[in-house]
Amino acid sequence: MNPVHIPVLLHEVIDAFKDINSGVILDCTLGYGGHSKALLDALPNIKIVACDQDDMAIKYCQDKFKDYKDRIKIYKSNFNQIIKQIPQEDIRAILADIGVSSLQLDLNERGFALKSDNLDMRMDKENPLDAKTIVNSYSQDELQRIFIEYGELPNAKSIAQKIINARENKEITSCKELVQIIGNSNLQNRSVSIATLVFQAIRIEVNKELDVLKELLNSIQNSQIDNAKLAIISFHSLEDRIIKDKFKKWQSSCICPPKAMRCECGNNHAIGKIITKKPITPTADEIKSNSRSSCSKMRIFNIKRQK
């Protein structure tokens, strides 16, 4: 296998970490190794610890990085668990590109894409919950909930009803079939299609993506990692909102309730500083060469704990 993989915001990631001259960069979402390889080449004195939950990606990267074997260590792990599994004292940077891999989207058998003959959407094939189970067994209320929470769809109730009606006749077994049932027109006053947001909602539910992101952020907060940069690339507003809000809390030294008359918490709770007041987004040239980068955003935080 020789997949064509274009890592998003690659130049911006390298620029963010350009001052790191030693230690370990943790790549929480290895994928097909685009970011990690570029960092190894650009920063000859650093090492990489990386993880992914996709067996296909891990196998590919074990071969891809055979000439870097002394500088990279790869774990099979979800990114919310990796920090608990590795030494923390040498980590100088953390990268998490939390989008779905282009290769996962493109492979028909993975059942992510609108035109796929399957209906799966699992990032980890060992996950017992897949998209077909959700589409064919969730109640109308449960479907409506995920379409509202994870797709922010105004017509979630009617979409859920369409699925319920269709599966009464036969099991829904492919992404293509699901698109035919729910339609693929754009939402009013928006450039995104209904099907895209439905698929996003189902995928988030399958992989518990928002919960995993929150767990990653909490594991960083509760770790011993210090004097390190954190860069997170997200692909939709739900993820970006979680990252933005967490970074704001991390930068706040006082955690007393807003209505408190005076500070009683010690005013020493900040764990660092936000570097990017606004998220970094791809250039027009990058979007032209890789349309999937168009919705990506990167926020950067400098972890420096108060003593």
Side-chain angles (χ1 to χ4, degrees):
M1 181 180 66
N2 186 24
V4 177
H5 175 60
I6 306 173
V8 301
L9 297 171
L10 180 60
H11 298 297
E12 291 80 359
V13 167
I14 294 171
D15 186 64
F17 295 158
K18 65 184 179 183
D19 296 329
I20 298 172
N21 299 315
S22 62
V24 171
I25 295 178
L26 171 60
D27 186 347
C28 293
T29 45
L30 176 63
Y32 286 81
H35 288 118
S36 278
K37 185 176 186 307
L39 289 167
L40 286 168
D41 291 340
L43 305 170
N45 295 320
I46 62 98
K47 293 184 178 181
I48 296 277
V49 170
C51 72
D52 206 285
Q53 57 183 330
D54 188 316
D55 289 319
M56 187 180 295
I58 290 173
K59 184 176 180 180
Y60 173 78
C61 284
Q62 285 171 339
D63 182 65
K64 177 174 182 169
F65 290 105
K66 60 186 177 183
D67 293 334
Y68 299 81
K69 61 182 180 180
D70 295 331
R71 297 183 60 203
I72 184 167
K73 187 170 184 178
I74 299 172
Y75 292 78
K76 179 175 181 182
S77 173
N78 204 327
F79 59 73
N80 64 324
Q81 297 294 325
I82 186 62
I83 288 174
K84 302 172 186 176
Q85 301 176 34
I86 62 173
Q88 299 174 8
E89 59 273 10
D90 293 329
I91 294 176
R92 300 279 74 84
I94 304 169
L95 173 65
D97 172 358
I98 57 177
V100 182
S101 163
S102 297
L103 278 300
Q104 290 176 333
L105 290 173
D106 291 339
L107 285 172
N108 180 61
E109 64 266 26
R110 299 305 296 267
F112 281 92
L114 301 184
K115 297 181 180 180
S116 175
D117 294 311
N118 292 326
L119 185 55
D120 193 317
M121 302 192 196
R122 290 176 294 173
M123 295 180 185
D124 182 353
K125 295 292 284 184
E126 295 179 4
N127 181 357
L129 180 65
D130 61 13
K132 187 167 76 169
T133 301
I134 288 171
V135 169
N136 288 287
S137 68
Y138 272 30
S139 68
Q140 181 170 345
D141 286 345
E142 289 173 316
L143 290 172
Q144 185 176 334
R145 173 187 62 81
I146 65 171
F147 295 156
I148 291 172
E149 289 184 11
Y150 302 149
E152 299 181 298
L153 282 152
N155 53 341
K157 184 175 181 179
S158 64
I159 296 170
Q161 186 62 62
K162 287 180 180 180
I163 293 172
I164 298 293
N165 292 342
R167 78 189 194 194
E168 286 178 353
N169 298 319
K170 64 177 291 292
E171 184 182 43
I172 302 167
T173 60
S174 73
C175 291
K176 290 191 295 188
E177 187 180 358
L178 181 57
V179 172
Q180 290 174 350
I181 292 165
I182 63 178
N184 197 27
S185 58
N186 281 5
L187 284 171
Q188 188 175 7
N189 300 321
R190 293 181 66 181
S191 60
V192 65
S193 73
I194 292 171
T196 297
L197 293 177
V198 167
F199 275 51
Q200 171 184 297
I202 295 171
R203 194 197 73 231
I204 290 173
E205 177 73 5
V206 168
N207 299 290
K208 306 301 180 191
E209 293 175 32
L210 301 186
D211 291 338
V212 171
L213 172 59
K214 291 173 185 176
E215 289 167 7
L216 169 68
L217 292 167
N218 288 336
S219 69
I220 293 170
Q221 177 179 323
N222 297 327
S223 73
Q224 300 301 311
I225 296 169
D226 199 6
N227 297 313
K229 283 186 177 178
L230 167 63
I232 305 182
I233 302 171
S234 62
F235 288 81
H236 55 76
S237 59
L238 297 173
E239 294 169 337
D240 184 58
R241 198 176 305 144
I242 290 169
I243 298 161
K244 179 182 178 182
D245 290 347
K246 182 62 79 172
F247 282 9
K248 282 185 176 180
K249 289 180 181 178
W250 285 356
Q251 186 172 258
S252 177
S253 188
C254 176
I255 58 172
C256 293
K259 294 183 180 180
M261 297 294 291
R262 57 188 177 85
C263 177
E264 297 178 351
C265 71
N267 199 27
N268 62 348
H269 293 276
I271 66 168
K273 183 177 180 181
I274 296 169
I275 294 178
T276 49
K277 300 300 182 184
K278 293 183 178 180
I280 297 170
T281 55
T283 63
D285 286 342
E286 178 173 1
I287 294 172
K288 185 176 180 179
S289 64
N290 178 16
S291 61
R292 286 176 177 164
S293 71
S294 62
C295 54
S296 61
K297 296 178 179 179
M298 180 167 68
R299 293 185 184 271
I300 306 172
F301 189 91
N302 189 47
I303 302 170
K304 191 170 181 62
R305 301 175 188 271
Q306 296 184 5
K307 303 300 183 183

